Amino acid sequence: MLKRTFLTLPLAVAAASLITGCNDKKTTDSKASGKADSEKILRVGTNPTFAPFEYQAKGSSELTGFDMDLIRAIGKQMGYKVEIHNLGFDGLIPAIISGNIDVAVSGMTINEERKKAVDFTDPYYTSGLIILVDKNNDDIKSIKDLEGKKVGVQIGTTGANKAVKIKNAEVKQYNNSNEPFLELDNKGVDAVINDQPVVAYYLVTGGHGKMVGEIMEAELYGMAVKKGNKDLAQKINAALAELKKNGEYDKIYKKWFGS
Ligand code: ARG
C-alpha cells in the first residue's frame, strides 16, 4: 500500500534524466514560427497528483491544472518552450540540485527548510493545510484530536511535517498526494492532512469525507529554482508580474477556482 510508484530519493537524482515526463514532452505553447532549434527550453518538474494544481485529466495524457496553465503562460511570456517532467514530489528538489530540471512548479510551499536547498520565485498562490475525515466521524474536530490516530499524508510535504509532530499519531506516508484519500475511503487512516484547495477540489469532484477544523497557518506557493539561479528566478518573476498586470493570471485563476 505504501509502495512507491515513483522513485526513492537517491534514485530520483540518478534517474531523473531518464524520466522525460512521458506525458507532456510536447509543448502546446511553442511559438508558431518554427524556430524549434534555437528556442530556449524550460524544463519544469512537477508531481501531477495534486488536482487542481497539477494532475492528469481522465482519458488524456496531458498534464493539466492551475500550475500547468500558469507555467505554460509564463514560459510563453519568457519566450521559452515548456517541457514538463513528471516526478515524485520528494524528487523535485534533488532534480533541481542535480540540474535535471530548471524549475519545480508543484504547489510547493515556500519555507525556511527548503530555502536552504533551493531559491524560490515570488509567491503565486496562498494556501494552507486542512484535515479531512470520514463523513460519519464526529470525534475528530481539530488537530488536537489526531493524537494517537492514523494520519495519511504525502511524503515530503508540509502536511507530512505537520503530522509527524502530532503526539502518538501513526503517520502513514504515501508517494502520491491522492493516495491518502483512497486510504481514508478504505478506513486505513482516520484522517488526511493535505492542502485545503486540494481537499476542497477532491470533495467537489465526488470525493468522500468532510473537512474539519480551521485552515492551519497560511502557506505560500512558489516556484523553486537552483540556488543562485537569479537570472531564471528574475525572468519568472517578471513574467508572473506581467501576467498579473495583463489579466492572464486572473483568467487562469478564475478557470480553476472560480471568481
Ligand atoms: N504545499 C505542500 C508542500 O509544499 C504540498 C505540495 C504537494 N504537491 C504536489 N504536487 N503533490 O509540501
Side-chain angles (χ1 to χ4, degrees):
M1 206 138 296
L2 304 188
K3 204 178 75 158
R4 302 171 62 91
T5 48
F6 286 110
L7 298 163
T8 50
L9 214 142
L11 257 185
V13 179
S17 59
L18 300 174
I19 305 171
T20 45
C22 25
N23 306 302
D24 212 317
K25 276 220 80 174
K26 230 177 63 226
T27 179
T28 46
D29 53 62
S30 63
K31 283 195 217 111
S33 53
K35 298 187 296 189
D37 283 347
S38 61
E39 208 156 16
K40 288 173 277 184
I41 292 175
L42 186 65
R43 295 166 306 158
V44 175
T46 196
N47 173 243
T49 65
F50 200 64
F53 294 93
E54 44 269 338
Y55 65 104
Q56 197 150 349
K58 273 206 185 84
S60 161
S61 60
E62 269 277 295
L63 297 183
T64 187
F66 176 77
D67 284 353
M68 300 295 96
D69 282 353
L70 186 60
I71 194 60
R72 286 180 178 122
I74 286 174
K76 190 170 179 179
Q77 179 69 33
M78 287 166 53
Y80 278 58
K81 183 169 160 181
V82 170
E83 183 182 283
I84 299 180
H85 297 239
N86 177 339
L87 297 171
F89 187 73
D90 61 346
L92 291 170
I93 289 180
I96 294 167
I97 292 172
S98 69
N100 285 325
I101 58 171
D102 301 309
V103 57
V105 185
S106 201
M108 190 181 282
T109 301
I110 301 171
N111 65 26
E112 292 309 314
E113 181 69 32
R114 291 172 180 160
K115 275 199 213 160
K116 290 181 199 151
V118 290
D119 286 343
F120 282 97
T121 63
D122 292 336
Y124 65 89
Y125 187 91
T126 303
S127 188
L129 298 170
I130 194 87
I131 299 166
L132 178 74
V133 297
D134 188 271
K135 256 209 172 77
N136 302 316
N137 185 325
D138 291 323
D139 305 335
I140 298 172
K141 294 193 174 68
S142 76
I143 188 133
K144 270 237 100 231
D145 304 323
L146 293 180
E147 292 183 6
K149 296 280 195 296
K150 287 186 190 145
V151 182
V153 295
Q154 181 179 25
I155 296 169
T157 60
T158 50
N161 293 345
K162 185 63 90 181
V164 295
K165 295 196 186 102
I166 302 167
K167 248 210 257 148
N168 299 323
E170 183 188 330
V171 182
K172 294 179 133 192
Q173 309 212 20
Y174 299 86
N175 190 49
N176 289 328
S177 180
N178 43 17
E179 285 171 306
F181 295 145
L182 301 175
E183 265 313 279
L184 182 66
D185 253 359
N186 295 334
K187 312 229 183 293
V189 293
D190 302 301
V192 171
I193 301 180
N194 201 340
D195 296 34
Q196 192 273 348
V198 169
V199 177
Y201 190 82
Y202 170 69
L203 293 176
V204 298
T205 52
H208 307 301
K210 63 180 176 192
M211 294 192 266
V212 292
E214 303 287 313
I215 296 183
M216 302 173 206
E217 63 273 7
E219 296 189 12
L220 300 177
Y221 293 168
M223 302 183 183
V225 301
K226 197 172 196 145
K227 239 189 175 338
N229 194 349
K230 295 222 167 55
D231 178 55
L232 181 58
Q234 263 160 22
K235 278 188 180 135
I236 293 174
N237 285 339
L240 178 63
E242 177 55 30
L243 298 179
K244 283 197 168 176
K245 213 170 80 190
N246 71 15
E248 186 68 19
Y249 176 94
D250 285 344
K251 225 166 81 189
I252 297 171
Y253 189 96
K254 275 205 188 94
K255 171 175 166 192
W256 293 102
F257 304 106
S259 62

